[in-house]
Amino acid sequence: MPELPEVETVRRGLNQLTLNQKITGGDVLLDRTIAYPFSVGEFIDGIKNNAIAIWHRRGKYLVAELTPVEKDTGTRGHGDTENSFPASLRLPLSASPPIAWLGVHLRMTGQLLWVDRDEPLHKHTRVRLFFGDRQELRFVDQRTFGQMWWVPPGVPVESVITGLAKLAADPFADEFTVEYLAGKLQKRRRPIKTALLDQSVVAGLGNIYADEALFKSRILPETLCTDLQLKQIENLRTAIIQVLETSIEAGGTTFSNFLNVKGVNGNYGGVAWVYNRAGELCRICDTPIMRIKLAGRSSHFCPQCQRG
């Protein structure tokens, strides 16, 4: 599943390629991909004749601000690379501004690809959004768990994309402090690896980067949250931010299907400390990397380096 670095990589690519261009129409090839509104025709009518002002990321969600246009502006994206999510989406629902939104969640296998209209359709193409100059944004999703939303003007975005309201602080947000993370963890009697996958604890973190952050902070994945010392939580917070920044710089991780908007693989997998390296030697101490199951998910760790 694409995690924060992969979604952030897609966001940056979308902001470079798709902004300020009129959406002239679209085609939905799998109706259930559209989570809202329930009418596919209403979804297409809602986004048509709008332009994307900017794409934001919150956890693993992508949300675009839509602005109505009468004609193509002739301009292109401005190369935005900031990590932040707009303050408007962190305010109470009633404070959301009266603009329309386009939301996307890639789930397990979703891809957003910016292609020429004449590019042959991939068999797993679910939604096509048409732009000028015969360009289009395609949502390709093999497992069909991905979703898209159109939120009408004046409707609070979190009242439609309800998962946004349940998310914890983003690791790049100012509120993601040591005290914040300690408050989320210290009363939970569950393994730290399991807790880190809970989006109400840390937004955007998944299996890959939870393993990597635990390695960097020298914490075993089975360690109970209630047993963590404040210094360990401080190290963990630092490690989470570091591994996410490193992966974003590498364009994310591709172990199976992840591609950026231009169809290019991510490169972080080649330098991962522990994830997907079971049986290989630790890059620090040469101890074989181990793999166990926690709550049905694989966890990779070095039994020597992560003894604390």
Side-chain angles (χ1 to χ4, degrees):
M1 174 187 291
E3 300 180 29
L4 188 155
E6 290 75 50
V7 180
E8 177 64 14
T9 297
V10 171
R11 184 191 77 89
R12 295 183 182 191
L14 291 169
N15 276 344
Q16 290 172 346
L17 296 170
T18 70
L19 302 192
N20 305 318
Q21 301 174 69
K22 184 176 179 180
I23 302 172
T24 61
D27 186 18
V28 177
L29 297 114
L30 183 68
D31 287 3
R32 70 171 180 267
T33 300
I34 306 305
Y36 189 89
F38 302 115
S39 163
V40 168
E42 188 178 351
F43 172 83
I44 296 297
D45 288 343
I47 63 172
K48 189 176 179 180
N49 296 324
N50 282 274
I52 295 170
I54 191 169
W55 287 91
H56 305 287
R57 179 192 55 75
R58 179 74 164 89
K60 301 176 188 178
Y61 288 85
L62 290 162
V63 187
E65 297 180 23
L66 298 179
T67 56
V69 292
E70 296 301 320
K71 59 183 179 179
D72 294 318
T73 64
T75 61
R76 293 296 180 260
H78 52 54
D80 166 75
T81 58
E82 62 179 323
N83 291 318
S84 62
F85 198 66
S88 60
L89 293 186
R90 294 197 295 268
L91 293 173
L93 301 185
S94 60
S96 295
I99 59 176
W101 304 88
L102 172 66
V104 183
H105 200 302
L106 302 177
R107 301 296 179 192
M108 293 183 67
T109 59
Q111 301 168 353
L112 284 172
L113 302 176
W114 183 252
V115 298
D116 187 86
R117 189 86 53 87
D118 297 325
E119 182 81 14
L121 277 184
H122 188 286
K123 68 177 180 179
H124 299 304
T125 301
R126 309 305 179 190
V127 180
R128 305 170 69 191
L129 303 184
F130 303 139
F131 293 78
D133 297 332
R134 297 198 58 77
Q135 297 294 117
E136 68 175 89
L137 185 63
R138 292 183 185 171
F139 187 52
V140 178
D141 185 16
Q142 180 178 349
R143 297 289 296 276
T144 74
F145 295 132
Q147 292 180 301
M148 300 183 77
W149 298 260
W150 173 67
V151 183
V155 175
V157 64
E158 290 169 312
S159 70
V160 174
I161 310 176
T162 55
L164 290 172
K166 302 173 184 177
L167 292 179
D170 194 276
F172 294 115
D174 291 341
E175 59 263 43
F176 188 68
T177 62
V178 175
E179 294 74 20
Y180 174 90
L181 187 57
K184 289 287 187 178
L185 295 176
Q186 287 182 325
K187 294 183 180 180
R188 295 174 185 262
R189 192 167 179 79
R190 59 199 287 199
I192 180 60
K193 169 62 185 293
T194 305
L196 291 178
L197 300 183
D198 186 340
Q199 298 299 290
S200 69
V201 174
V202 183
L205 209 60
N207 216 31
I208 298 172
Y209 304 107
D211 280 355
E212 295 289 281
L214 289 171
F215 174 82
K216 291 270 289 180
S217 54
R218 303 177 67 88
I219 300 171
L220 288 167
E222 311 103 309
T223 305
L224 295 182
C225 296
T226 50
D227 292 338
L228 291 172
Q229 302 300 309
L230 187 60
K231 182 60 177 176
Q232 290 177 296
I233 295 175
E234 181 180 353
N235 292 341
L236 178 59
R237 174 191 172 274
T238 299
I240 288 171
I241 295 171
Q242 286 179 345
V243 298
L244 294 176
E245 288 178 337
T246 300
S247 184
I248 290 169
E249 290 172 3
T253 301
T254 299
F255 284 117
S256 54
N257 341 64
F258 172 70
L259 299 173
N260 68 18
V261 293
K262 294 182 179 180
V264 178
N265 289 339
N267 295 315
Y268 180 81
V271 297
W273 292 102
V274 291
Y275 185 79
N276 208 37
R277 297 189 64 237
E280 298 181 35
L281 298 183
C282 174
R283 301 186 192 277
I284 301 297
C285 70
D286 288 339
T287 301
I289 300 300
M290 294 187 65
R291 174 180 174 272
I292 60 173
K293 286 271 191 176
L294 282 175
R297 304 292 298 277
S298 295
S299 292
H300 304 81
F301 64 97
C302 173
Q304 178 66 28
C305 290
Q306 290 174 250
R307 291 189 303 176

